[in-house]
Every structure is written in C-alpha cells, then in structure tokens.
Amino acid sequence: MPYFDAASAAPLHPVARQALLAALDEGWADPARLYREGRRARMLLDASRETVAEAVGCRADEVVFTSSGTRAVHTGIAGALTGRRRTGRHLIVSAVEHSSVLHSAESFEAGGGSVTTVAVDRAGAVDPSAFTDALRQDTALACLQSANHEVGTVQPVAEVAGVCRAAGVPLLVDAAQSLGWGPVEGDWSLLAASAHKWGGPSGVGLLVVRKGVRFAAQGPVDERESGRAPGFENLPAIVAAAASLRAVRAEAAQEALRLRELTERIRARVPELVADVEVAGDPRRRLPGIVTFSCLYVDGEALLHELDREGFSVSSGSSCTSSTLTPSHVLRAMGVLSEGNVRVSLPPGTAAQDVERFLEVLPGVVAGVREKLGAPAAAPAAAPAAEAEELVVDSLGKRCPIPVIELARVFGDVPVGGTVRVLSDDEAARLDIPAWCEMRGQEYVGEEPAERGTAYVVRRIG
Amino acid sequence: MPYFDAASAAPLHPVARQALLAALDEGWADPARLYREGRRARMLLDASRETVAEAVGCRADEVVFTSSGTRAVHTGIAGALTGRRRTGRHLIVSAVEHSSVLHSAESFEAGGGSVTTVAVDRAGAVDPSAFTDALRQDTALACLQSANHEVGTVQPVAEVAGVCRAAGVPLLVDAAQSLGWGPVEGDWSLLAASAHKWGGPSGVGLLVVRKGVRFAAQGPVDERESGRAPGFENLPAIVAAAASLRAVRAEAAQEALRLRELTERIRARVPELVADVEVAGDPRRRLPGIVTFSCLYVDGEALLHELDREGFSVSSGSSCTSSTLTPSHVLRAMGVLSEGNVRVSLPPGTAAQDVERFLEVLPGVVAGVREKLGAPAAAPAAAPAAEAEELVVDSLGKRCPIPVIELARVFGDVPVGGTVRVLSDDEAARLDIPAWCEMRGQEYVGEEPAERGTAYVVRRIG
C-alpha cells in the first residue's frame, strides 16, 4: 500500500524506532535532576543536541528542541521580531511559506506590525532582488523556506541570506522540507525544522538561533531549553529525532538520486498519460521526492478518494480537500491551476514498481472522475455551433471544478473573437479560469463584480 | 536502585510502552488527512480523547492535547484571562502553585494585570475563605492546584470551585500531581495535567476547557486541537498517555492504600531516627505517594548526593539544589524549614523493602553530612559558657545551612533572655532561622537590615 505523502509526515525511520525504544528505558527522567536517572537523561539530551548541531552545521548551544516544527516557527518569528523591535516592526515573508509562517505574520500584523509578502514566479521560486526591494530601515526579520512543501521548488536561500546579511536583517529559514537532505547553505540567522518530516517521531521540532541574533523569548519564563521552549523535554522522542536525522543524512545522497529519477519519471509521464494536466514547480531546482500536478475538470477530493481506493495515499492543494474551502495559497501565488491538484511526495525507500503502478492507475482514475463530473472531451469543438458573440455561463452555487467544466463545455459555441462570461461564487474560480486560459492558449480578459459572485471573462482566440 | 522522585517524572508504565509501540506503527500519519493512514491516525486520536475525557469526567470535545503540562498551564491561563479581559484584569493564584502557574502570573502582571496571591497554612493548604476574600469585581480567573507537588498536601478544590462559581469566576485546576489517582472533584472550569507524572510518556499535557468557559487562544492561528495547541499532534505519545491513564486509574485505589502506608511509615519513623527533623505537609489530606521532611544543619545538595550514592533518587526544595539559589517558594509560603529538605515521592509499585532500606541508610547519611559541616549535637548545651547578653554571629558570605549551624553552635553561650544576632546574606536564612526557632522552642525576634546582608535576631527562652 504505497504511501506517497512524505511531505506531510514521513513514516518512522527504523533508526528512530530503535533509538526511541532505548531512550524510553534510559531517558524518561528529568534531565535537570542530579541523581543517576537525571544524569543519564541529561547525557542523552546533550548528545542529541550535538548530533543535531552537526547535521545543521551550527553550535550545540544554538539548538533548541521544541514540540513541533510549527512551534519552532511560531517561537522563532515571535522571538526574533521582539528581540529587534527597537529596529522596527516590519516583517518580510515569501508568498509560498508554510501556514505556520503566514499565520505568525498575520498575528504580527494584527498586533500592529507591517508585513511585506514577496511574490514568486510561476515555478514557485522567489527572486533574491525582490527581497532587496522589500528590505526597509525598519525591517526586523525576513523569512524564507528552504524548499516549498507543496511543489518542491528549492528557494535561493543563500542568495537571500546574503542580501539580508548585507542589510543587517536576520533571515529565518523554514527548513522543514529539506533538512533531511542536507544542511541549509548560506549565512542564515534562524532555522526551524520538524523531525517527523525526515522520519523522526512526531513531537519534536528544531529551532536554531545563531549566536549574536537578538532574540526575546515570549510568554511565561521557563528555564528549560535556554528559556526558549517551556515544559519538560520530550526526551525519548528527541533522542529518536537526532538519531534518525543522522541516519537519513547518511543515506541522503544516494536516495536523492534514486527518488529524483522516480519523480522525474512522474513529471515526464503524467502529461503524456493524462490530457489537460499542468505539472507545477521548478523542473530543476527542486526537492528529490516531491512532484505536483493539476488535472483540469477534476474534483481534487474525488481524485484523492479514488487514488486511496487504489491504494495510493497522496495529498492535494485543491480547495475541495481543505477545511477552509479556499485553494492552496502556494498554487495561487504561483498562478497555476489548483483544480484536480495532486502532490506526490515519496518517502525514502519508495519502490520503483509502486511509482509505475501509480502511473498505470492514474489515467483511469482521472478519466473516471471526469466522466462523473461530465467534463468535456480533451479538444474543444473546432466550429462554433452558434454564432453568439458572448455566452454567459451561470455557475453560481457550484463548487470547483464545475465552473471550469461548464466554461469548457460551451467554449466551442462562440466564434473566434467571441467571449464567455462565467459567473461563479467559488473562490477557486479566480485561480482556475485564468489557469485554464493559459493551458488552452485562450485569452483571459479579466474579472468583473457581478450581482452575485464574480464574472470571469474569457475570449476565444483560437 | 530505588527511584523515589515520581513527582518529577514517573517511570513509564508498561501499558504506556505497549501503546506507544503499537501507535508508532499505526499512528504516525497526519490525522487531518483523508487517506487510510490518516484515517487510522484520526481514529487513534479520537479514541484517546474519549479515554481521557472519561478519566477526567468531561466531554471529549473539552479535551486538548498539549505538548506538556507546563504548556497546558501557560495556554490555559493566557486563554482564560484573554477570554475574560472585558470582565477585568485580575488573577488569583495560591502561593504554592507550580512554577508554570506562578510564571504565567508574573507574565500577566508584567503586561499590566494584577495578581492576588492566596496564602497557605503551615501544612501548605489554602483556606477557601481566602479565595472568597480575594475575589473582586474584575477577577478574570482563579488558579488552584489539586495537590501540592512538593509536600503532597491536597487542596480544598471543590470548596474553592464553589466559591468561584458563586462569583461567576472560572477556576483553573492544575491537576498534574493528582490526576493519576482520580478525577478532580467540584465544579472547576479549566484543568491542566501532564502525562509523564502518571506514568505516561513525556511530550503530552492535557488542557480541559469546559463548555461555556470564555477562552481566547493566543498566538498565531492553527487549526489543530480546536485551535488551542498548534502543531502536528504527538500522536503515538498521546495514545500512550491515554492508555496509561486508564491503566493507572484501574490500579489507583489499591495502590493508593499501599503507598499511603509506606509514606505514613516514613512520616512516623524519620523524626524518630533522625534528630532535628521537621516533616512538612498535611498529615491527613495528602497524596498517597509524597512525603517531605527537612533536616536541620544539613546541606540539601550534599544530602541528595549521598542518598544517590546509596542508590536513592530523591528531590529537594532546598536552595542549594536549585539553579536559582533561592529556597523553594512552597516551603517559604508554608513557613517551614527549607534546609536539608528531602522530598520522597514513591512511584506506583514501590517495594516496601526499598522504603525500609531508605529508613536504614538515612540516619547515617544525615549524620555524615552534619559531621562534615560541623553541625552541633542534637541538644544545645544547657548552661551558658559565657554571660554575654548578646552574641553576634557573622555568617556573611556563607551559604545555607552554615548560618543556622553557627547560630546553633553559639546558642548555648547566651543565657536565657539573651539574644544572638546572625548576620547573613543568604536568602535561605530568612526562612531557616525562624524555622529553627520554631523547632527549638526559642523566640524569633525579627530581622533588621545590616551594613551587609540582614541581621536575624533570636532570643533564648529556654
């Protein structure tokens, strides 16, 4: 039963399991105590910190163990912003950061701070010069992920760190998706990561704060973890996290090559096997194990459900699978199609035949979902059936991908030069209709407010 | 090797270990996902929540899993205070709460809130009428532990909850020390606890917020755990925490009887076996497994070190073992001796012969430490060697218990009615010199500022 959602949570690495078991026996006591059980726990904690520091490329006393990657991000951003509040109350984030970063930014903004969001290109990457432009006299902190969690695009962290360093602004790197593959290059100031993304246990995050970075821990005082992560240390899990980080690193170079071949195969084959597919993310600067594509005229939730029935566990940035009913902010920032979105993230050790089987079942699954939804055939009719210069499609009250399906169904009915107005109140249409135009080589004229919802206007140019 | 520090961290219960192992295989995936691994994780999370709710005596949707007991307390207090900020900015805490509560109160005070600290009696218990007196129109929250972590005294939670309920003020109960023994009685509003105190794994705390209690989660938005505990759920540990809570509860009634006999024996025998000992805490309303005593003329750190050499792991509220160099706030609030303090907290399953061996080795260990420090013999000389009406002891620069030892050494040299002035700059003297007077039946006249440090004046009355 292939599990292809390592970017959400990787299965526990065997070394993590062994280390956890050993540490349950040796590391359950309070490492702050002086008796033998406490001293043993302290030794395990110290050794784990050394191991992590080596893998990150920092000093052991710069490493703080938190209870999750999200907590590491929240703590890191709040601590760095407060530590530099005399400099100013301006924060820079990229548009495709993890929700923990964006929610921290919202919280900062709600408290009176100002936030600049740096845009990304269609591949999901930032341009270092955009950070240069965003930096201000009052910038307290900048944040950039090492690699994107939804499309796998690797960011130019070293360059952005250089730009920030030159301006005297600390850069916090969310390295959750990449730390298992290697250290983060460049002169960054803070780093956050999450053990369960590299095959460690849940319950452990990392926050690294370089010496010399101004940092003011928030919330009630607590003496553990340099005062930066309150509460009794989750020691057996910390030991397992450190041991598994070392283990995955030892296997990283070879496994990266292997997974990169597999994801390259998916990138190449899916558009051949399935019509009307857009592959997202940078084709070269990307993580080894993540590949993401979107299928026109497909409901993401139905697709995931059918793939699950076939034994494949994947994730989706489509609106329909998230509890918020809005499309992935990452896909939106990239300007790519969000409907029928599938993220395949292969855990280390994924067998090639599982990927082949995925490629075998995918066309049938997509076709099945499209058929159920009444999606149009791949190529629109060449000759218009009617001569109306403008058609209106009322998709009000209908959820993605129905508005796009209804657009495609009537599109052959307008002549070249004619337009279709799609009325929709689904937020995803704002992203998917322009993306459809891009994929179909048609002109997206723009959107206009309608009596209900929004009218999206598309002109037939071919 | 007897481990007698269960109040810090209990060894992992066998059921916790089994459940953790099973959940590592079944519960590593993201419970928010719809594929089979996610659904399995969600089922485990839901079942754990039901189990905990049953043990606490609340609804499942009132239970939030946090990363530690400390985090539960911080989150609970901040959320309740903010939720009721329109009512006012006044917080009530008892003087003997866990540091996580007191640090939350300090943080609230630093942000402009006001805090009333309710005193305790010499046994460590609050009087419900003191909460009645402390309640104000602008009281947003009151906090009381179910039982004290240093001396085991059980607090009148149900009575205090009644008083608070009548005033419309929510009561947060820190149940960290008692939840393994049984549910918290009374009409409380919020409850915090910690799994590793009942034999569960580290990395799991509980926060219970009763329906109808105003609560505003602080910090960046996160959708997990009803928005009250950000970050990926520490699921295998949560499963282990819930399973072990049920297991220890099944054994609680019988084990409480057994441990109570053992701690009763320590309470009775230690003062017979060792001279100049004060047993702390309520003799009746107390937890089954905790007993605390203080030995005059003994350095707590040396005592712990010698007991560790004999194979006993215990804890101490003496100044000398804490990193802050101030005596335990609990012992200070109770007004009892802090020097040579030993807390014995027996984990379930403690063998009677281990307690007997502890009682065998303790007198020799205390005598050894006293001899090294040059402590006086148990009874002071009856006849004064000198006729000076006032003697001055200069203990400046000397750490506890030296000031008390030097007081005791010269005390026989003043006649009845005469006084000894002890000059000390150790904060512990403020507690230990009055406690010595209480134990010796001598009069503590009071303290006066001195050129350096403080002068503590004692009059010989017998």
Side-chain angles (χ1 to χ4, degrees), chain B residues 296-343:
Chain B
L296 265 181
Y297 318 134
V298 171
D299 165 4
E301 191 170 356
L303 191 55
L304 258 54
H305 182 68
E306 292 303 319
L307 285 169
D308 179 48
R309 281 163 56 106
E310 296 284 345
F312 293 95
S313 300
V314 298
S315 177
S316 172
S318 291
S319 62
C320 314
T321 54
S322 103
S323 58
T324 56
L325 295 178
T326 55
S328 146
H329 69 275
V330 172
L331 302 176
R332 196 166 54 212
M334 293 166 63
V336 300
L337 186 69
S338 77
E339 72 180 33
N341 179 261
V342 173
R343 176 185 69 185

Side-chain angles (χ1 to χ4, degrees), chain A residues 1-3 5 8-12 17 20-22 24-25 27-30 33-37 39 67-68 70-71 74-75 99-100 103-104 106-107 194 196-197 201-204 219-223 228-237 301 304-305 307-308 311-316 321 323-324 343, chain B residues 1-3 5 8-12 17 20-22 24-25 27-30 33-37 39 67-68 70-71 74-75 99-100 103-104 106-107 194 196-197 201-204 219-223 228-237 301 304-305 307-308 311-316 321 323-324 343:
Chain A
M1 301 290 274
Y3 173 82
D5 197 21
S8 283
L12 201 65
R17 193 187 165 91
L20 186 61
L21 284 182
L24 285 178
D25 297 331
W28 51 270
D30 185 347
R33 299 290 174 182
L34 301 176
Y35 43 69
R36 66 194 172 286
E37 293 88 352
R39 295 193 304 268
S67 57
S68 67
T70 291
R71 192 60 95 170
H74 290 181
T75 302
S99 59
S100 58
H103 288 150
S104 291
E106 285 161 18
S107 171
S194 174
H196 77 103
K197 305 283 191 194
S202 55
V204 182
V221 170
D222 191 274
E223 63 197 14
R228 290 170 180 174
F232 194 84
E233 291 90 347
N234 188 4
L235 189 50
E301 191 169 357
L304 259 55
H305 182 68
L307 285 169
D308 178 48
F312 293 95
S313 300
V314 299
S315 177
S316 172
T321 55
S323 57
T324 55
R343 176 185 68 186
Chain B
M1 300 290 275
Y3 173 81
D5 197 23
S8 284
L12 201 65
R17 192 185 166 92
L20 186 60
L21 284 181
L24 286 178
D25 296 331
W28 52 269
D30 185 345
R33 299 289 174 184
L34 301 176
Y35 44 68
R36 65 194 173 286
E37 294 88 351
R39 295 193 304 268
S67 58
S68 67
T70 291
R71 193 59 95 168
H74 290 181
T75 302
S99 59
S100 58
H103 288 149
S104 291
E106 285 160 18
S107 172
S194 174
H196 77 103
K197 305 283 190 193
S202 55
V204 182
V221 169
D222 191 274
E223 63 196 12
R228 290 169 179 175
F232 194 86
E233 291 91 347
N234 188 3
L235 189 50
E301 191 170 356
L304 258 54
H305 182 68
L307 285 169
D308 179 48
F312 293 95
S313 300
V314 298
S315 177
S316 172
T321 54
S323 58
T324 56
R343 176 185 69 185

Side-chain angles (χ1 to χ4, degrees), chain B residues 216-455:
Chain B
Q218 300 303 289
V221 169
D222 191 274
E223 63 196 12
R224 297 184 188 262
E225 292 298 299
S226 325
R228 290 169 179 175
F232 194 86
E233 291 91 347
N234 188 3
L235 189 50
I238 287 171
V239 172
S244 57
L245 181 56
R246 179 153 55 188
V248 298
R249 279 293 186 78
E251 303 153 356
Q254 204 174 344
E255 192 61 20
L257 276 177
R258 220 177 58 79
L259 290 189
R260 202 172 283 280
E261 266 177 39
L262 296 177
T263 51
E264 191 49 59
R265 178 147 175 82
I266 296 173
R267 286 185 72 89
R269 289 292 288 153
V270 166
E272 294 167 6
L273 294 166
V274 182
D276 297 321
V277 160
E278 180 171 20
V279 178
D282 196 293
R284 281 168 305 278
R285 284 179 60 93
R286 62 182 176 86
L287 290 172
I290 298 184
V291 53
T292 302
F293 54 87
S294 299
C295 310
L296 265 181
Y297 318 134
V298 171
D299 165 4
E301 191 170 356
L303 191 55
L304 258 54
H305 182 68
E306 292 303 319
L307 285 169
D308 179 48
R309 281 163 56 106
E310 296 284 345
F312 293 95
S313 300
V314 298
S315 177
S316 172
S318 291
S319 62
C320 314
T321 54
S322 103
S323 58
T324 56
L325 295 178
T326 55
S328 146
H329 69 275
V330 172
L331 302 176
R332 196 166 54 212
M334 293 166 63
V336 300
L337 186 69
S338 77
E339 72 180 33
N341 179 261
V342 173
R343 176 185 69 185
V344 173
S345 54
L346 307 177
T350 297
Q353 68 260 37
D354 285 341
V355 170
E356 288 309 316
R357 205 168 72 73
F358 176 78
L359 291 172
E360 276 163 33
V361 307
L362 182 71
V365 164
V366 173
V369 174
R370 282 177 174 168
E371 198 183 323
K372 261 188 225 161
L373 292 172
E387 286 299 322
E389 282 295 318
E390 171 154 293
L391 280 177
V392 175
V393 175
D394 180 356
S395 295
L396 290 166
K398 295 172 186 165
R399 293 265 306 284
C400 73
I402 303 300
V404 177
I405 290 176
E406 294 187 336
L407 163 65
R409 264 208 220 109
V410 305
F411 201 69
D413 296 345
V414 295
V416 170
T419 55
V420 177
R421 294 171 71 84
V422 183
L423 302 177
S424 173
D425 48 13
D426 182 347
E427 189 56 29
R430 178 160 290 125
L431 186 54
D432 290 343
I433 290 174
W436 182 89
C437 294
E438 177 94 16
M439 288 173 74
R440 280 272 163 272
Q442 305 296 348
E443 182 190 346
Y444 178 63
V445 180
E447 64 171 77
E448 296 163 10
E451 200 170 334
R452 273 180 60 209
T454 303

Side-chain angles (χ1 to χ4, degrees), chain A residues 282-342:
Chain A
D282 196 293
R284 283 168 304 276
R285 285 179 59 93
R286 61 182 176 86
L287 290 172
I290 297 185
V291 53
T292 302
F293 54 88
S294 299
C295 310
L296 267 181
Y297 318 134
V298 171
D299 165 4
E301 191 169 357
L303 192 54
L304 259 55
H305 182 68
E306 292 304 318
L307 285 169
D308 178 48
R309 281 164 55 106
E310 295 284 346
F312 293 95
S313 300
V314 299
S315 177
S316 172
S318 291
S319 62
C320 313
T321 55
S322 100
S323 57
T324 55
L325 295 178
T326 56
S328 146
H329 68 276
V330 172
L331 303 176
R332 195 165 52 211
M334 293 166 64
V336 299
L337 185 70
S338 78
E339 71 181 34
N341 178 261
V342 173

